[in-house]
Amino acid sequence: MQEQNTDIEEPIKKRTIRSFVVRGGRMTEGQQKNYDANWAIYGLSLADGRIDYVAVFGRESDVVLEVGFGMGASLVENGEKCTGERFYWH
């Protein structure tokens, strides 16, 4: 004769993965100054529509989108190593 398990198992609670976290208020005064001074020259806006990479970068090549690049050290290093590709970040 087999014993029956009379314990009622709790349902497994599923947790969602949050890989992107809003991190507001992280720009230093110097970063904000440079952002304000350079956005009009180098920035791309959603209102401008779909990006024409050839028009923006002036040549045909692969495009690499870097998201969450921190302080940019890895972005600069990869950009220097991969000179045939275009890098832009969000």
Side-chain angles (χ1 to χ4, degrees), residues 16-89:
T16 59
I17 297 171
R18 291 186 66 184
S19 59
F20 297 102
V21 179
V22 176
R23 295 185 175 128
R26 288 274 182 107
M27 256 193 228
T28 66
E29 186 177 321
Q31 289 169 328
Q32 186 67 55
K33 178 183 169 188
N34 282 302
Y35 177 87
D36 294 340
N38 292 298
W39 181 257
I41 300 165
Y42 300 109
L44 301 172
S45 176
L46 182 60
D48 295 335
R50 190 175 184 137
I51 298 170
D52 178 353
Y53 295 108
V54 175
V56 170
F57 293 102
R59 62 188 172 95
E60 284 275 345
S61 66
D62 292 336
V63 176
V64 177
L65 171 62
E66 177 76 29
V67 178
F69 60 91
M71 296 302 290
S74 66
L75 178 70
V76 171
E77 182 180 337
N78 287 327
E80 289 172 343
K81 287 179 184 177
C82 305
T83 57
E85 297 171 342
R86 297 170 289 190
F87 283 82
Y88 75 100
W89 56 93

